[in-house]
């Protein structure tokens, strides 16, 4: 698993660097279309800068959202649990993907709530619906993760095959 993870990470970074070089971002050039359309300064940056924006968002969620910290704790503990249960690589993949989906949904929920609170701090029925739907998405993915976890334990204990 470690070799596949690191080779995938290296490939992802490599293709990001290639993209930066091919688009001219690797040498700090701005595209003519960026200047003519008034494109946001956060767009079309080098891969390293885009990763920085992503990490800043994750760090903001970590600082401001207790539920994100709790879910991250479960995601960090997951590999140890999977090692103890000695499940197959397929179960590893399923569990890791769903754990990352829960974290991604929490990031979307946090982003939506932050934006809504900034743009419209007053309570409004439509805003409540938007926030509740985003929270509902996190809840559904978390329930799915729990179901997958139960199935993994049952398979590891021999109750399911």
């Amino acid at each position: 698993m470690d070799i596949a993870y690191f080779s995938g990470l290296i490939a992802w970074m490599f293709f990001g660097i290639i993209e930066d070089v091919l688009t001219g971002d690797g040498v700090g050039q701005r595209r003519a279309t960026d200047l003519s359309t008034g494109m946001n300064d956060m767009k079309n940056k080098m891969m390293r800068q885009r990763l920085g924006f992503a990490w800043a968002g994750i760090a903001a969620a970590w600082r401001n959202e207790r539920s994100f910290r709790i879910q991250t704790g479960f995601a960090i503990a997951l590999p140890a649990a999977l090692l103890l249960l000695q499940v197959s690589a397929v179960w590893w993949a399923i569990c890791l993907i769903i754990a990352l989906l829960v974290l991604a949904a929490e990031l979307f929920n946090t982003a939506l709530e932050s934006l809504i609170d900034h743009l419209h701090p007053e309570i409004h029925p439509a805003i409540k619906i938007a926030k509740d739907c985003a929270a509902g998405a996190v809840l559904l993915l978390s329930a799915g993760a729990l179901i997958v976890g139960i199935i993994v334990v049952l398979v590891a204990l021999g109750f399911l095959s």
Side-chain angles (χ1 to χ4, degrees):
M1 187 200 112
D2 292 328
I3 294 172
Y5 171 78
F6 287 114
S7 62
L9 181 63
I10 290 169
W12 179 64
M13 290 174 58
F14 173 76
F15 287 115
I17 292 167
I18 295 298
E19 174 194 5
D20 291 342
V21 171
L22 292 176
T23 60
D25 291 339
V27 292
Q29 298 174 346
R30 290 194 67 167
R31 296 184 203 154
T33 56
D34 293 354
L35 297 173
S36 65
T37 60
M39 195 175 261
N40 185 325
D41 284 339
M42 292 177 69
K43 292 234 177 240
N44 299 317
K45 295 291 184 180
M46 292 185 345
M47 183 70 158
R48 181 178 62 249
Q49 290 173 307
R50 293 190 308 245
L51 288 173
F53 298 146
W55 280 114
I58 293 168
W62 178 265
R63 282 190 308 273
N64 300 319
E65 296 294 328
R66 182 174 180 258
S67 59
F68 184 78
R69 291 189 298 271
I70 291 169
Q71 292 161 345
T72 301
F74 282 122
I76 290 170
L78 181 62
L82 293 172
L83 281 172
L84 287 173
L85 292 171
Q86 299 179 349
V87 295
S88 69
V90 171
W91 286 112
W92 274 81
I94 292 170
C95 289
L96 292 174
I97 288 169
I98 198 154
L100 291 174
L101 284 172
V102 169
L103 292 175
E106 186 61 47
L107 287 171
F108 282 122
N109 184 36
T110 300
L112 181 67
E113 285 184 353
S114 296
L115 181 63
I116 289 173
D117 290 344
H118 175 75
L119 295 177
H120 200 291
E122 300 85 29
I123 296 174
H124 186 277
I127 290 174
K128 181 182 180 333
I129 291 170
K131 287 182 165 186
D132 290 349
C133 286
V138 175
L139 179 63
L140 287 176
L141 274 170
S142 297
L146 179 63
I147 291 167
V148 168
I150 291 169
I151 293 170
V152 167
V153 169
L154 293 175
V155 167
L157 296 176
F159 294 111
L160 293 175
S161 56

